[in-house]
């Protein structure tokens, strides 16, 4: 079992930055690929970013590429999502998730463990 707790969400203005954190407990954090997903009202959950076990390989959705950066600190069992140049369309509940699989990091069904989510609201 892995428990995930997100933090860092809030209300910001368009163009601002925000950093989300997700702290893991339970099994060895470095075993897992970590992903960030988001879900806006009335929409399906969508992939935002993922990072491999060692932290030297990342993937991003096209909508956030160049604006968001995912990173991890295995010593602190924490994954981060640095969000810059935020837009109103980035408004959503953001979730971190952990996957024991080696591929398919963009698919929610490949993640066995999920946090409770943190709200990010970007005003125009």
């Amino acid at each position: 079992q892995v428990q995930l707790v997100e933090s860092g969400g809030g209300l910001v203005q368009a163009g601002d930055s925000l950093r989300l954190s997700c702290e893991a407990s339970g099994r060895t954090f470095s075993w897992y690929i970590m992903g960030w997903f988001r879900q806006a009202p009335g929409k399906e959950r969508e992939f935002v970013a993922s990072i491999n076990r060692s932290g030297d390989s990342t993937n991003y959705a096209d909508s956030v590429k160049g604006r968001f950066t995912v990173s991890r600190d295995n010593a602190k069992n924490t994954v981060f999502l640095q969000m810059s140049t935020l837009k109103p369309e980035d408004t959503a509940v953001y979730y971190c998730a952990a996957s024991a699989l080696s591929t398919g990091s963009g698919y929610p069904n490949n993640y066995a463990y999920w946090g409770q989510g943190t709200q990010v609201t970007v005003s125009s």
Side-chain angles (χ1 to χ4, degrees):
Q1 287 283 347
V2 176
Q3 293 78 43
L4 302 172
V5 179
E6 302 98 335
S7 61
L11 172 63
V12 297
Q13 293 186 334
D16 285 351
S17 298
L18 205 59
R19 188 172 86 152
L20 305 183
S21 300
C22 173
E23 185 171 359
S25 60
R27 292 188 173 180
T28 304
F29 179 66
S30 59
W31 288 357
Y32 298 92
I33 290 173
M34 298 300 297
W36 285 98
F37 292 79
R38 65 187 182 186
Q39 188 166 18
K43 295 187 177 181
E44 292 188 353
R45 191 167 298 190
E46 66 173 359
F47 170 75
V48 175
S50 65
I51 187 166
N52 70 343
R53 294 173 176 85
S54 59
D56 59 2
S57 179
T58 56
N59 287 302
Y60 297 94
D62 287 343
S63 59
V64 306
K65 204 170 291 184
R67 300 188 298 121
F68 290 12
T69 302
V70 59
S71 61
R72 66 190 296 165
D73 185 339
N74 286 345
K76 296 183 178 179
N77 292 348
T78 303
V79 61
F80 305 97
L81 185 67
Q82 177 67 48
M83 304 184 293
S84 303
T85 319
L86 282 161
K87 305 175 181 180
E89 51 263 44
D90 293 319
T91 295
V93 177
Y94 283 72
Y95 299 89
C96 72
S99 172
L101 302 179
S102 298
T103 59
S105 65
Y107 300 96
N109 288 346
N110 288 344
Y111 290 78
Y113 304 104
W114 291 82
Q116 82 289 349
T118 186
Q119 177 71 47
V120 172
T121 303
V122 184
S123 63
S124 57

